[in-house]
Amino acid sequence: MKRLLWLLALGAMAAEPSAWADDHADAVALVAQLEQDVAHRTATADAVAKAKDALERAQRMRAAGDEAHAKAADGLALEWAQAGRDLAKAVDAEQSAAELRRKAVDAQAQLERSRALVEEALASVGRLQAELDHEQATPHEPRVAVETHDGEPAKKDPKKKDAPNNKKGGAPAAHKPNPGSTP
């Protein structure tokens, strides 16, 4: 039983350096990826600088023989590198949200314009309906369309009668004073 516990403890200790080595390799890979990302360089610059600093500290501690603190520094470097990656994602999300917000504002403005046009059209339809109702309620003589062409005299409506002091084709009648009136 003691032998089994001893073997398990050795296995755990042997596995641990590879886990910490993975932190170091992961941090180095993430830092390299963030350095290549030109679009997010300003947002991730601080996190990348701190991750590089932690990686350098880990190398100095390994050179000094302090593996435990070197592993902790590798973990810190990985945390900073992951924070930089998350910052890049946040910048992308903010840009996407800003674009969606702009589109939503544009859509809202378009909706308001459309609503105003619909209300204006409804008001116009209401006015036209009122005019139509008024015309239908008011009695009037039937109307006849008369067509004239250039150079032709205007045709008269056969239903209309000449004015009483107007003779067909002649000049207007002269005004005669009444016998009892003074000029």
Side-chain angles (χ1 to χ4, degrees), residues 144-158:
V144 177
V146 178
E147 183 177 324
T148 60
H149 300 281
D150 289 342
E152 289 184 8
K155 295 181 183 177
K156 292 187 179 183
D157 188 359

Side-chain angles (χ1 to χ4, degrees), residues 30 33-34 37-45 47-48 80-96:
L30 243 128
Q33 181 183 1
L34 290 171
D37 188 5
V38 178
H40 302 105
R41 187 168 286 167
T42 56
T44 61
V48 168
W80 277 112
Q82 289 171 341
R85 180 194 59 206
D86 293 344
L87 282 170
K89 287 180 182 179
V91 166
D92 288 341
E94 285 177 1
Q95 288 173 347
S96 177

